[in-house]
Amino acid sequence: MPLLEPGSPTDLIATTTAAFTERFGRPPRLVGWAPGRVNLIGEHTDYNRGLVLPVALPHATWVAVAPRADRQLRLSSAQQDALWTGTLDDLEPAAITGWAAYAAGVLWALREEGLEIPGLDLHVHSTVPLGAGLSSSAALECAVGVALVGLLGRSLEDTHDGVPLRDVLVRAGIRAETEVAGAPTGGMDQTVAVHARAGSALLIDFDDGARRHLDLDLEGRVLLVTDTRVSHELTDGGYAARRADCEAAASALGLDSLRRASLEDVEGLTDERVRRRARHIVTEIARVQRTVDALAQRAWSEVARCFLDSHTSMRDDFEISTDELDTAVSVAVEAGALAARMTGGGFGGSTVAIVPEERLSAVVRAIDAAFTQRSYAAPSHLVVQPGAGASVEAVDALGG
Ligand code: GLA
């Protein structure tokens, strides 16, 4: 069964280091990395001050970096053709375009946070599938951020102006994404990329910022992520339109966010579309809490119900699903998955399913067959063991 493998960290560090050395003619000082993520439940709730439950993927983005004596910046990536070159003076949102918005954008945002950015050379290598709704952009932002922290000789456990550096990195990633790349996203992806712990899901409450690591014991079941290969873009308007509808709903109710709204409140909204958008948010936040409780109690049929209700709500009320996502979800369940739903921002991207180990190959085969039968692009599949959050590796220590 062909699965998209995350690769071994030792090999990936060696590959990224070798590519850096070839491109820039000297070895890097260190390698930073950060994971992609899959969200178990809680979609579009982050920017509504709600709850989310993501896990970090074992698939990550690796960033090799070395400082320069001058003010030059040279950014290259194994996944992108264009080398981005500039100087420290070019670190301004309007001057940074293309893929560099996420990399140089973070350097800009970290400078705004008061960190000293040196001239540098940087090379990126990623095993997070791009455009799959698995947060390749947050992985890149956070990998650049941790690499920079390492370059400055700081530890991720340090604080900066009294704020934990990990939280500074999360904020810088969000600013790069919203203010430089122009995707008005909510912060879930950067938070889990920086704070995840291996073996756990991360419950984040965007009302007060509280985070809780939850051991994820699926009792003989695995997480299967299926990338439908319908590329999703957070900058193409659909995401921003959903966010605007949620803000319109909150404002019509006289609330600062939909976190304060009840189902009864939103059912009274007069605009039909805004009412459906708000209903998704209010019911989705409740489903995250129900899923957390059900996971703790091993109440698997309740987990299954939450996933399916979540998918239906995204398909019908929030209108962010696609035929490919709907097919992957229904076929997975017919072939023996306990639960399945689309995950991430929507309009394409991936599904996540909880599958009994012994049904895994049958589920993968059934999805592949359904996609072939409907003439959809061939999907790719990842089996996810919840991974750890961003970190820095010294190249010397690894024999690079
Ligand atoms: C994208 C955004 C997140 C979140 C999800 C949907 O991944 O980056 O902030 O809104 O979509 O849950």
Side-chain angles (χ1 to χ4, degrees), residues 37 39 41-48 51-52 133-135 137-138 174 177 183-190 206 232 234 239 243 280 284 314 318 320 341-346:
R37 66 96 189 93
N39 190 19
I41 195 159
E43 233 61 83
H44 288 257
T45 46
D46 55 357
Y47 57 79
N48 287 294
L51 303 172
V52 297
L134 300 174
S135 287
S137 25
I174 296 172
E177 188 134 342
T185 54
M188 161 172 67
D189 310 339
Q190 295 81 2
F206 278 89
H232 107 135
L234 295 173
Y239 186 97
R243 188 167 179 154
H280 165 71
E284 183 80 350
M314 289 189 284
F318 221 57
I320 54 172
R341 56 185 287 282
M342 59 147 282
T343 182

